mmCIF file of all heavy atoms in Angstrom:
data_model
loop_
_atom_site.group_PDB
_atom_site.id
_atom_site.type_symbol
_atom_site.label_atom_id
_atom_site.label_comp_id
_atom_site.label_asym_id
_atom_site.label_seq_id
_atom_site.Cartn_x
_atom_site.Cartn_y
_atom_site.Cartn_z
ATOM 1 N N ARG N 323 -19.356 -6.777 -11.993
ATOM 2 C CA ARG N 323 -20.673 -7.135 -12.506
ATOM 3 C C ARG N 323 -20.971 -8.599 -12.357
ATOM 4 O O ARG N 323 -22.067 -9.021 -11.978
ATOM 5 C CB ARG N 323 -20.790 -6.673 -13.972
ATOM 6 C CG ARG N 323 -22.207 -6.275 -14.344
ATOM 7 C CD ARG N 323 -22.294 -5.763 -15.770
ATOM 8 N NE ARG N 323 -21.401 -4.618 -15.983
ATOM 9 C CZ ARG N 323 -20.689 -4.456 -17.117
ATOM 10 N NH1 ARG N 323 -20.728 -5.355 -18.071
ATOM 11 N NH2 ARG N 323 -19.909 -3.384 -17.251
ATOM 12 N N ALA N 324 -19.933 -9.426 -12.644
ATOM 13 C CA ALA N 324 -20.155 -10.868 -12.513
ATOM 14 C C ALA N 324 -20.580 -11.215 -11.077
ATOM 15 O O ALA N 324 -21.446 -12.049 -10.857
ATOM 16 C CB ALA N 324 -18.887 -11.606 -12.866
ATOM 17 N N SER N 325 -19.956 -10.519 -10.154
ATOM 18 C CA SER N 325 -20.245 -10.821 -8.749
ATOM 19 C C SER N 325 -21.605 -10.305 -8.311
ATOM 20 O O SER N 325 -22.331 -11.062 -7.595
ATOM 21 C CB SER N 325 -19.074 -10.225 -7.970
ATOM 22 O OG SER N 325 -19.377 -9.990 -6.671
ATOM 23 N N VAL N 326 -22.014 -9.130 -8.769
ATOM 24 C CA VAL N 326 -23.359 -8.685 -8.336
ATOM 25 C C VAL N 326 -24.445 -9.479 -9.024
ATOM 26 O O VAL N 326 -25.543 -9.662 -8.478
ATOM 27 C CB VAL N 326 -23.554 -7.124 -8.535
ATOM 28 C CG1 VAL N 326 -22.610 -6.363 -7.705
ATOM 29 C CG2 VAL N 326 -23.483 -6.758 -10.002
ATOM 30 N N ASP N 327 -24.140 -9.989 -10.251
ATOM 31 C CA ASP N 327 -25.129 -10.864 -10.907
ATOM 32 C C ASP N 327 -25.269 -12.185 -10.157
ATOM 33 O O ASP N 327 -26.358 -12.756 -10.017
ATOM 34 C CB ASP N 327 -24.765 -11.069 -12.359
ATOM 35 C CG ASP N 327 -25.048 -9.818 -13.209
ATOM 36 O OD1 ASP N 327 -25.807 -8.928 -12.725
ATOM 37 O OD2 ASP N 327 -24.511 -9.690 -14.320
ATOM 38 N N GLN N 328 -24.126 -12.671 -9.695
ATOM 39 C CA GLN N 328 -24.113 -13.901 -8.876
ATOM 40 C C GLN N 328 -24.957 -13.699 -7.598
ATOM 41 O O GLN N 328 -25.752 -14.540 -7.236
ATOM 42 C CB GLN N 328 -22.685 -14.221 -8.505
ATOM 43 C CG GLN N 328 -22.486 -15.482 -7.690
ATOM 44 C CD GLN N 328 -22.485 -16.708 -8.578
ATOM 45 O OE1 GLN N 328 -22.179 -16.644 -9.747
ATOM 46 N NE2 GLN N 328 -22.867 -17.854 -7.976
ATOM 47 N N ARG N 329 -24.768 -12.525 -6.994
ATOM 48 C CA ARG N 329 -25.541 -12.235 -5.765
ATOM 49 C C ARG N 329 -27.043 -12.173 -6.065
ATOM 50 O O ARG N 329 -27.856 -12.720 -5.338
ATOM 51 C CB ARG N 329 -25.120 -10.870 -5.192
ATOM 52 C CG ARG N 329 -23.678 -10.894 -4.642
ATOM 53 C CD ARG N 329 -23.221 -9.473 -4.250
ATOM 54 N NE ARG N 329 -21.829 -9.447 -3.802
ATOM 55 C CZ ARG N 329 -21.211 -8.365 -3.355
ATOM 56 N NH1 ARG N 329 -21.853 -7.217 -3.251
ATOM 57 N NH2 ARG N 329 -19.968 -8.412 -3.001
ATOM 58 N N ARG N 330 -27.378 -11.541 -7.191
ATOM 59 C CA ARG N 330 -28.806 -11.430 -7.583
ATOM 60 C C ARG N 330 -29.407 -12.857 -7.776
ATOM 61 O O ARG N 330 -30.508 -13.119 -7.367
ATOM 62 C CB ARG N 330 -28.908 -10.625 -8.869
ATOM 63 C CG ARG N 330 -30.359 -10.543 -9.339
ATOM 64 C CD ARG N 330 -30.467 -9.689 -10.565
ATOM 65 N NE ARG N 330 -29.707 -10.297 -11.696
ATOM 66 C CZ ARG N 330 -29.568 -9.738 -12.854
ATOM 67 N NH1 ARG N 330 -30.163 -8.589 -13.126
ATOM 68 N NH2 ARG N 330 -28.865 -10.327 -13.819
ATOM 69 N N GLY N 331 -28.583 -13.748 -8.376
ATOM 70 C CA GLY N 331 -29.017 -15.094 -8.631
ATOM 71 C C GLY N 331 -29.489 -15.832 -7.406
ATOM 72 O O GLY N 331 -30.283 -16.746 -7.446
ATOM 73 N N ARG N 332 -28.989 -15.403 -6.212
ATOM 74 C CA ARG N 332 -29.318 -16.069 -4.979
ATOM 75 C C ARG N 332 -30.778 -15.873 -4.620
ATOM 76 O O ARG N 332 -31.269 -16.572 -3.724
ATOM 77 C CB ARG N 332 -28.471 -15.481 -3.824
ATOM 78 C CG ARG N 332 -26.981 -15.782 -4.033
ATOM 79 C CD ARG N 332 -26.681 -17.117 -3.479
ATOM 80 N NE ARG N 332 -25.632 -17.801 -4.259
ATOM 81 C CZ ARG N 332 -25.097 -18.942 -3.898
ATOM 82 N NH1 ARG N 332 -25.500 -19.564 -2.848
ATOM 83 N NH2 ARG N 332 -24.166 -19.501 -4.667
ATOM 84 N N ALA N 333 -31.463 -14.951 -5.309
ATOM 85 C CA ALA N 333 -32.877 -14.734 -5.003
ATOM 86 C C ALA N 333 -33.756 -15.629 -5.877
ATOM 87 O O ALA N 333 -34.969 -15.699 -5.685
ATOM 88 C CB ALA N 333 -33.247 -13.248 -5.255
ATOM 89 N N GLY N 334 -33.188 -16.304 -6.873
ATOM 90 C CA GLY N 334 -34.009 -17.067 -7.797
ATOM 91 C C GLY N 334 -33.703 -18.560 -7.784
ATOM 92 O O GLY N 334 -33.851 -19.253 -8.789
ATOM 93 N N ARG N 335 -33.262 -19.093 -6.652
ATOM 94 C CA ARG N 335 -32.909 -20.498 -6.592
ATOM 95 C C ARG N 335 -34.141 -21.381 -6.613
ATOM 96 O O ARG N 335 -34.106 -22.486 -7.226
ATOM 97 C CB ARG N 335 -32.054 -20.809 -5.365
ATOM 98 C CG ARG N 335 -30.809 -19.946 -5.241
ATOM 99 C CD ARG N 335 -29.803 -20.268 -6.255
ATOM 100 N NE ARG N 335 -29.063 -21.536 -5.968
ATOM 101 C CZ ARG N 335 -27.987 -21.892 -6.601
ATOM 102 N NH1 ARG N 335 -27.524 -21.179 -7.591
ATOM 103 N NH2 ARG N 335 -27.395 -23.010 -6.269
ATOM 104 N N THR N 336 -35.160 -21.001 -5.873
ATOM 105 C CA THR N 336 -36.300 -21.929 -5.746
ATOM 106 C C THR N 336 -37.608 -21.349 -6.293
ATOM 107 O O THR N 336 -38.588 -22.056 -6.480
ATOM 108 C CB THR N 336 -36.518 -22.314 -4.293
ATOM 109 O OG1 THR N 336 -36.455 -21.109 -3.467
ATOM 110 C CG2 THR N 336 -35.422 -23.242 -3.797
ATOM 111 N N GLU N 337 -37.655 -20.025 -6.496
ATOM 112 C CA GLU N 337 -38.879 -19.378 -7.049
ATOM 113 C C GLU N 337 -38.446 -18.022 -7.573
ATOM 114 O O GLU N 337 -37.357 -17.552 -7.284
ATOM 115 C CB GLU N 337 -39.926 -19.254 -5.947
ATOM 116 C CG GLU N 337 -39.441 -18.421 -4.786
ATOM 117 C CD GLU N 337 -40.528 -18.269 -3.694
ATOM 118 O OE1 GLU N 337 -41.661 -17.992 -4.056
ATOM 119 O OE2 GLU N 337 -40.192 -18.414 -2.530
#
Side-chain angles (χ1 to χ4, degrees):
Chain N
R323 212 177 301 139
S325 158
V326 298
D327 286 344
Q328 181 82 25
R329 293 174 184 183
R330 178 178 60 184
R332 297 275 145 174
R335 304 291 283 191
T336 47
E337 58 180 315

